[in-house]
Every structure is written in C-alpha cells, then in structure tokens.
Amino acid sequence: MEGLIEPPSNPLDINIDKVAKSYSDFLKIPILSAASFTQDTADLLNVHTEWTYDDVISKEKSSFVQNHSIVKSSVLANTLVIASSMPVPYDVKLTCFSNAGSKKAVLTTFADATNKKTEENENRELLRIYDNEMLLKTVDLKKLDKHKEIYTLKSQWGSTMAWSQDGTKLAYMAEKKTPKVEPFLEPKGFTHVTCDQIDDSRKGEEFAFRQSWGEQLTESHESVVVIFDLYTEEFKVIELPDKLFPSDLQWVNNSSIVGTGYVHCEWRLGLIYCTNRESRIFQIGIDGNNFRYLSNPGKSAFSPRVNPKSEFLIWQEREVRGPHDKSREIMGLKIEDQLEAPRILYPTNPQTLIPVYQNFPFQCWSLDGSKYFVVTPNDVESIMLEFNISTDYRLTRDPLVIRNIDGIHSIGKDYILASRSSAIESPSLLLISIENQKIVPLTKSVRVISRPVNRLIIPGPVSPASFYYGPTGDDVKRNTIPLMVMPHGGPHSVFLDSYIPEIALFLSLGYGVLRLNYIGSTGGTTDTTERLCGKIGVADVQYCQAIVATLLCDEPNLNPTQVVANGGSHGGFLSAHLSSSFPDIYKAVALRNPVTDLLSCVSVSDITDWSYVEMGIKNLPNNTYVPIVKTLEDAKKYMECSPIQYVEAVKGATLLLLGSDDIRVPMSQGMAYYRALLAAGKIAEYVAIDYNLLCSSFEQHCKLN
C-alpha cells in the first residue's frame, strides 16, 4: 500500500486519472468499527473484529469480519502467537455479543426474492440469535409488527442493544409503532391495511408533521425499549413516562434497565454533536414498572455505565444550554440505595485534572469493578484515562494516562482491546495490559505515505495545538510546497492526529496540510470552549490566521504564495472569512455547506440555539426555540460577523460543494454566498453533491487546481 502515487514534481501539475486511482486506493484501507472478546480463558483469547471501507463503485460503505486467536502466554513472553482468519464480507446493521461471548444477536435487512423494494417489504429487519455460532432463533421483526426499525447509530444513541447478564434476554431500542392513517380521498375497500390497524381519529393525517432530532436523525421520532425473552419468545414493548426518549441501554442484574432519557420539550433542537440537551438517567423494570429517575433535573446527563456487580452506576453530566459541546463531570450513584443523591466523582476541568470530552465506551469497567476507563481528546491526540476506585467508589488517585489511543472496544480479564492511528498510518488493533499498561499490536497499520513527511506541532495559547504534515527530504526545495489550511467545524470540536483518507490524498499529491484547532475547540488540557462565545467571526478568524502565519514562518519549504483553505460548516465559515480578511494570502477556498449568513441561519438550522450562544445573545430559555433575531442591535451584530457581508474583498477562487440533505447548515447558506460572489464579479463555482458522496474531496481537489 505504500507509495500509492508518485508525488508530482509540481503539486499543481498532476494527472487527474492517477489521483482518482490513488484516492480510491486510500478509501479501500479498512477502518476498525468494532471489536470484542468472544473467549477469554487462562490460555486463550478469541477476538472478533469488524472493519469498514468505502466502496467507490457502489458508493456505499462495505464491511468484513476477521477473527483472531491469541495464546496468552505468548503476549507475556513478547513472542506473539496469533492465528487470524481470512476476512469475510459482512452485511449486517448491528451485532451484539453477550457478556460471556457465547451468544450473539445479529440484525440484518433484506428485500424479497425479486429484490423489489415495495412498501410492504422495504426496510424489513431480521433478528438472528446465535449460541456458539449455532443459529437458535430467527425473528422477522416486520411480521412481528411490535415496533418500527431498531436504532443502530451507536455514535449518537450509545448502546442500542444489550444482553442481560445471564444471556437469556435481549434489550434494544426501537422506533415506536404508530397506527396506520387512512387518507380522506382513498375509497373504501381500496386500503391495504386491515380495519383494526387504522386509527379513525387521525384520518387524513398521513402528512402531519412529526418532530425528529434533526440532522442525520430525521427518522427518530419516538423510541421505545423492547425486551426479548429468548425462552418465552415474548417481546415486551416499554414506553417511558413523561414522553421521555430512551437511549443508551444498560442492564442492572437481569431485572431492570438503565439508560439516557431525553426530556420532552415543545420544540426539539438538533441532537447530533450537541451534548447540551436536557436529559436524565432513568431506571425501569423489564415488566415496565418501578420507573425512577437517577440523575437530577435540569441537567444534561448521558452515557450511563453499570459496574459488573450491578451495584454502582456512573454517567457523564454537564449543564443544559451553552456551547454545543464541552467537558463533562463524571457522576456516580449506588443503584440500590434509594436515598443516595448523585455525587461528583470527577469534576469538570479543574486546573489540576484532565478534562473529559468524550462519552464512555459501551464497556468501560474492568471485570473486577476496580477500574473504569474513558478515551478523550487531549491536545492533538486521544488518550485513555484509567480511574482507580476504592470500595466506596471514590477515586484513589488522579487518573492514569495512556497516550495515543483512538478508542476502547472491549475489556477482558487481563487486557483491553483498543485501537490507534495517525494521519499517515491506518488504524491498528491493540492489546493493553490492565495490570501494567503494556501495549501489544494485534494487527499491523499501513503507512500510507511512502516519502519522508515532516510533522510539526503548533501550540495554541488558549486551544489544543494544531498540527502540520508536509513533504520533506533532500529533494524538497524552499518555497515549493503549497499549503492547505483546514479548520474544523463545530466550532466546539477538535482535529486529532488520526487517519483520514482525504489528508493522506493531499499529502500524497505534495501538499502540506495544516489541521487547525482554535479558540473554542474542545480537547484542550483546560476547557476553553466558552471563550469563543460572543466572538465568532473575529476571534476565531484572527486565531486561525496567527497559526497559519507561525507555520509559514517556521516551515521554509512552504510557498506563501500558494495557500488554500478548505472547510465545512463552521470550518467553511472560517475559510470564507480567511478568504476575505486576508485576500492576498488565500488563492482559493473550498467550502462544504458553509455558514455564510448568520442572520438567516438562525431561522433555517436545526440548532437555533447555536447562533444565540455563539453570538453571545442573551435570551430567556424558551427563546432558544424562536428562530428569529429579536432586536436591530442583535441583527447588526449577526450581519457584521457573517462572511457574506465581505465578498467584495475576496480575490481568490471559491468552490462551493453543497449537499441538499444537510439541515444543520442548509445549502441555502452556500447558495446565497455563491450568488453574492457572482454579483461582485468574483471567481466562483457551485457543485451540488450527494450528501453521502464518497469522492467529494477528490472532486474538490480537481476544482481547486
């Protein structure tokens, strides 16, 4: 895989066909999506892994599984003995292993034999249950007709499926079944549903509006908890009181469920990438009784995790409102103590402790319950924190830090399954010793760039550091490397030194790539997210340009006359501002669904509160739902911070890549900016892209050239 493309002598003079072939090769590099221990004995470890890659032919993500058997004694002796199966294609929506690893639930979808997706068979789901690879049961959930689709987006909903500790019951999260609605105009006798399926009280409401959770969650309306008993074959559907939206399910013993419940409100604001929505940790019996709240009201509480003995619960918590993401406190509670109030186990962002910015992995406890773990961004890398606790569940010391860990996938008796990568190295699977933190690679990473590459860290005064990768070596002359500046979106997000195919592509083409973190970024050694609020369009723009200027001064091989910017969402907002604020520096910018007009964005985005918070507008709580700027003074402030007001100053070319499915930053924002550029006589091009288009970055590069 090394040396996928021969770097051109002039990065701006390239063969596009070779670039396309190179990018398709980068997309084929598999990314670890899941891993778990299926057997953990005194002598043997069996590991199940799932990998995904982008298929440029089908324009879909494809998956395969690979299993590994490791002799434990060989790990200790530093002579790893491992047997690996051949990769096997794997077309499933969700896989869930029991605690012992012997049982497995697999969710798949299928169409009929003619492969026709009719209304009757579209999105039909099969739930298969295996015991030691023997098929026990198959359930056609469409025919069962207890609920609609099972939720599978783990990145948002956490644990959407979980086994009871004894392996006899399966809990999962599904969309609530709604009664069929008959249209006014359909004649009697022509309906395709039976009379008992029709709700006469809702006749003619087939197009009635139903609120969802916004961007990427438009099919998420009302969720329920479903308990499947393997032996009675009963499916129990549980709706929570107070119109709570349950997610991230965990078992307590074999008799109850805890989870995150999102609180009902008059108008739902977008949820993905936003940890500032009101939610509470709940517990409910598997019979639907004995419901209670475990966390306090008025907070955003999420990521509940039960210890192995079902005695103690931890979760993360932050205040509602404010920045869409920031550091969190770790809270705890003895589950069976009905009188105990939640207590803070690890406070957020004191000067002496490392802030936590990321949810707990599904399995975060050691099997003996003496430790729990979390991965969190910290400067330019992800780190793993190990929390050691006493018998009364208090920390015995500051957390132990293990650096350069992208994620935790499973925890066994002696080892943690984790992964790591870098911008120029594909992900690899690791074993980490729980006893002494020794790290043993199980799979090899691929170094995707064959030529020498220089890596620079540019510290940020009040943000995580930014980092730069660029060509180096005796054949690289001064002032010859074009620079691509890439600020992240959010703005309360972070760029980490982890593998992304687009970065590898641009590096292989001879570009230097700067991944920009700035004031307001998460992942800092102290939490400075709120320092940006009320200052976007000014403080973040100046901060980004200061880092660019530092890099151009420190890296003599960069050509200061060949600088381009590339960003999406708030990263597009910053790239547009850089183009107009420093027009003699930026020769071109590529903007993916950028925020360009804050005044109109407040009324079209699924997160109305975002603009209020970032602009520093003070409102009563309910006004976060109101999609309008209230005063002329506020309107003026919105306008002054919007890139669209400064198109006259732009000198470089602008490429707009706009997807119509984006409801966080609708394409109308980019279209307005495009029209403003044309009206000002600027060089601009607009390309409509499929929201899930795999090759958008390749096309973006071609347009930049």
Side-chain angles (χ1 to χ4, degrees), residues 41-103:
T41 67
D43 303 318
L44 190 66
L45 287 172
N46 284 338
V47 175
H48 171 89
T49 64
E50 299 176 17
W51 303 77
T52 61
Y53 59 94
D54 290 318
D55 189 331
V56 296
I57 303 300
S58 65
K59 290 184 171 60
E60 294 180 347
K61 284 194 177 295
S62 298
S63 303
F64 67 83
V65 297
Q66 189 171 29
N67 296 319
H68 308 274
S69 295
I70 304 106
V71 178
K72 272 190 174 181
S73 59
S74 70
V75 179
L76 298 174
N78 293 319
T79 56
L80 188 66
V81 177
I82 179 171
S84 301
S85 69
M86 291 292 291
V88 178
Y90 198 56
D91 185 17
V92 304
K93 290 183 65 177
L94 187 64
T95 304
C96 181
F97 287 93
S98 64
N99 292 343
S102 60
K103 286 194 175 68

Side-chain angles (χ1 to χ4, degrees), residues 485-488 516 518 536-538 540-542 544-545 564-598 640-658 665 669-674 676-677 682-684:
V485 176
M486 303 182 74
H488 63 70
L516 263 175
Y518 46 87
I536 64 167
V538 180
D540 46 2
V541 177
Q542 295 171 349
C544 287
Q545 186 55 32
V564 298
N566 166 11
S569 191
H570 193 81
F573 171 87
L574 290 173
S575 297
H577 264 306
L578 291 171
S579 179
S580 58
S581 299
F582 307 95
D584 293 324
I585 294 177
Y586 293 91
K587 306 306 179 186
V589 294
L591 314 177
R592 288 172 286 106
N593 281 68
V595 177
T596 65
D597 182 4
L598 291 162
E640 289 175 345
C641 293
S642 297
I644 200 168
Q645 298 294 325
Y646 307 105
V647 293
E648 294 284 352
V650 173
K651 292 183 179 180
T654 302
L655 171 66
L656 289 132
L657 294 138
L658 307 179
V665 185
Q669 288 279 299
M671 279 298 294
Y673 191 69
Y674 173 63
L677 287 168
K682 306 301 178 180
I683 301 172

